[in-house]
Amino acid sequence: MSTGAAGTIGTVTVVTSSFGGWFAGALADRFGRVRVLQIAILWYSGFTFLCSFAQNFEQLFILRGLHGLGFGGEWATGAVLMGEVIRDKYRGRGVGFVQTGAAFGPGLAALVYAGLYAILPEAIAWRVLFAVGILPALLVLWIRRSIPESEAFRGRDENAARPGIAQLFSAFRGPYLWLTIKVSLMVMGAQGGVWSVGFWMATYLRTERHLNATGAGLYVAVQQFGALIGFLLGAYLADAIGFAAAVMPLGTAIAVFSTLAHTLMIVMLLLLLPETRGRAIASLEAEAPVTAAYNARPAVGRG
């Protein structure tokens, strides 16, 4: 599989996850947060497992797209549920703790990746890595027994009309439109940077830095540990000084730090390191296109 094909699969996953979150949010308003959360977990766990049986690009493309629907739906529904069941005093920490899954999950996956590739042939290891994705489905048994529906949903007027298909577009109407646009742009910028760098980090480490799969996995795990600290810091600041007061300074600091870090990384990789300096300068000169053959395994990223 070429890097272009791998990038396409990563793209379809995150694009469909945005629609999954959108649809699941509307369904959660109609049928309940806990019920939709269970369906979403079963959905993405099942399609992650099925990815381990893919025989070609087309099959993996479809399965990853379907996986993305469940992934986005679980994330959106779970965040709403946590926001409703936690008291105002601790809501920032509660919701922030949920968001740490965006660092803890990839970090844990990177460690599993490193371990599997250390003990299994690469042709089998990637399939086992997908197969492990069935494990979150076991959480549904615990959710059904232990997690009640939120009071906000149960306390609705029983005689009120249930939300219909028009609920999907309520965020784009009246006073909500401008807020929806601003928040969407902010999240697009943040997630765009995270996914573009995170998805290709393992490929870069293996093809350019020549690390083996175990080394690349451990590197990504350490990187996600830093993200975990950031999530926890933001969660506690939100409770300590308020959401509005925390978002602006913390968001600005993250944007400035991220910009400087990425700029420094690009400069060092392209201009300062001996093994890349010559290629960076040579890339500015016109030359005949070269068809490169990519090994299937290095083109593995986050997703």
Side-chain angles (χ1 to χ4, degrees), residues 58 94 135 172-173 203 222 246 250 293 299:
E58 290 77 11
L135 295 179
F172 300 95
R173 297 195 185 104
T203 300
V222 172
L250 189 60

Side-chain angles (χ1 to χ4, degrees), residues 36-301:
V36 175
L37 178 63
Q38 294 176 67
I39 295 173
I41 292 175
L42 290 174
W43 181 285
Y44 84 72
S45 297
F47 282 108
T48 302
F49 177 75
L50 290 176
C51 285
S52 65
F53 298 98
Q55 300 297 312
N56 52 48
F57 169 82
E58 290 77 11
Q59 293 178 10
L60 189 58
F61 179 88
I62 294 172
L63 290 171
R64 288 286 285 172
L66 292 171
H67 153 88
L69 288 174
F71 164 65
E74 185 277 337
W75 194 261
T77 309
V80 170
L81 178 63
M82 289 298 294
E84 291 180 346
V85 300
I86 297 178
R87 288 189 298 164
D88 294 348
K89 181 180 178 180
Y90 303 107
R91 186 165 294 160
R93 269 169 281 184
V95 176
F97 182 77
V98 173
Q99 301 302 312
T100 61
F104 181 79
L108 180 61
L111 292 177
V112 176
Y113 168 89
L116 289 176
Y117 274 73
I119 62 177
L120 296 175
E122 292 196 357
I124 299 176
W126 73 269
R127 295 187 182 276
V128 177
L129 189 61
F130 273 123
V132 171
I134 195 66
L135 295 179
L138 299 176
L139 289 174
V140 172
L141 300 175
W142 176 73
I143 292 174
R144 288 179 61 87
R145 184 175 63 252
S146 306
I147 306 298
E149 189 57 78
S150 69
E151 292 185 7
F153 180 80
R154 288 187 282 116
R156 297 184 314 172
D157 186 353
E158 295 296 335
N159 297 322
R162 286 181 172 271
I165 191 66
Q167 177 79 3
L168 283 171
F169 305 98
S170 59
F172 300 95
R173 297 195 185 104
Y176 305 111
L177 176 60
W178 180 232
L179 179 61
T180 298
I181 293 174
K182 289 191 294 183
V183 174
S184 297
L185 289 175
M186 180 185 71
V187 175
M188 284 172 60
Q191 294 298 319
V194 168
W195 281 97
S196 60
V197 173
F199 183 84
W200 291 112
M201 183 56 69
T203 300
Y204 164 75
L205 292 173
R206 298 195 64 185
T207 59
E208 298 297 327
R209 306 306 300 167
H210 307 297
L211 297 181
N212 58 22
T214 301
L218 293 175
Y219 183 97
V220 174
V222 172
Q223 185 183 38
Q224 293 302 320
F225 177 76
L228 176 64
I229 300 301
F231 280 118
L232 293 175
L233 177 62
Y236 277 91
L237 279 177
D239 280 339
I241 63 178
F243 284 99
V247 168
M248 289 305 296
L250 189 60
T252 302
I254 291 173
V256 172
F257 179 80
S258 179
T259 301
L260 292 176
H262 282 84
T263 301
L264 181 62
M265 181 177 68
I266 292 172
V267 170
M268 289 186 64
L269 293 179
L270 297 184
L271 300 179
L272 300 182
L273 297 180
E275 60 267 37
T276 58
R277 183 174 59 242
R279 276 181 284 173
I281 296 175
S283 66
L284 300 177
E285 303 173 358
E287 60 180 2
V290 178
T291 302
Y294 293 94
N295 183 276
R297 292 316 313 145
V300 175

